Amino acid sequence: IAGTNAGLGGDLSHGETGDGAGLRGADKICSEVAQMGVPGAGSKTWRAFLSATTGGTGGGPVHAKDRIGSGPWYDANGRQVASNLTQLLMDRPADADLAIRNDLPNEHGIPNHADGSNNHAVLTGTGADGMLYTVTTPTTDNTCNDWTSKAATGHPWCGHSWPRTGSGTNWMSSSAVGGCAPCTGTGTGCVGSTGGYGAFYCFAIN
């Protein structure tokens, strides 16, 4: 999907244009990646766990927690991620299967940190309450221009798919990375600058 080994960076529009392009594109990516992970899964309705500054009711912000339904949610291997929003919106999903609670899996059901890579940072633009992260000091542009920018500027706010000592344990809200440009592993001004590859979470709502 990315079309490059460096990934997508913070531009998730995936061919979409206009208002809300970043979120709509990310949802499309979720569906396509789900299909690659588990044939047939792409037919479900998928939503990216991303917040944005505009696009909500009356043009207001979009909050990730409002995009993903009410649960329950399971990984590709049928293990519970969370039974409902209350359980999900914790530092780590409170009633997740213990095999994945502290190492959330990818579209194949493989825990993200299983190979030992430093790949903890996951794009969310979201605070610990599941709503748009709005703190602007010392970081700005916490959503890569609502997920349409791959510029080296900006500091997208991220959760950690596995707890990262010293920088945060919350799966949806832990730290910023150094930019919106594409990169994996490490780099400057890019989504992988502290350890990541521009990943984001996807939830099926049916």
Side-chain angles (χ1 to χ4, degrees), residues 28-201:
K28 284 173 55 178
I29 293 170
C30 283
S31 179
E32 293 175 23
V33 169
Q35 182 66 25
M36 291 192 305
V38 179
S43 64
K44 294 180 178 291
T45 301
W46 289 90
R47 294 289 181 266
F49 190 87
L50 295 168
S51 294
T53 63
T54 62
T57 303
V62 177
H63 306 299
K65 73 180 184 69
D66 297 334
R67 308 193 75 240
I68 60 170
S70 57
W73 303 276
Y74 302 91
D75 77 351
N77 291 327
R79 296 171 295 196
Q80 181 168 286
V81 176
S83 61
N84 56 51
L85 272 174
T86 299
Q87 297 296 312
L88 181 68
L89 300 179
M90 300 287 185
D91 190 58
R92 308 300 302 178
D95 61 356
D97 188 297
L98 292 179
I100 58 174
R101 183 172 184 266
N102 286 319
D103 196 356
L104 295 173
N106 64 18
E107 64 273 17
H108 301 288
I110 301 170
N112 199 44
H113 193 40
D115 65 357
S117 299
N118 182 11
N119 55 10
H120 59 282
V122 178
L123 302 172
T124 69
T126 301
D129 56 359
M131 301 175 71
L132 175 69
Y133 183 79
T134 57
V135 176
T136 58
T137 303
T139 62
T140 57
D141 189 12
N142 303 131
T143 67
C144 293
N145 193 30
D146 288 343
W147 315 112
T148 63
S149 171
K150 55 184 178 181
T153 55
H155 297 277
W157 194 250
C158 295
H160 289 173
S161 59
W162 48 273
R164 175 69 171 165
T165 301
S167 60
T169 62
N170 193 293
W171 71 272
M172 60 186 152
S173 183
S174 286
S175 63
V177 293
C180 297
C183 77
T184 60
T186 58
T188 302
C190 58
V191 294
S193 61
T194 64
Y197 50 92
F200 55 95
Y201 302 112

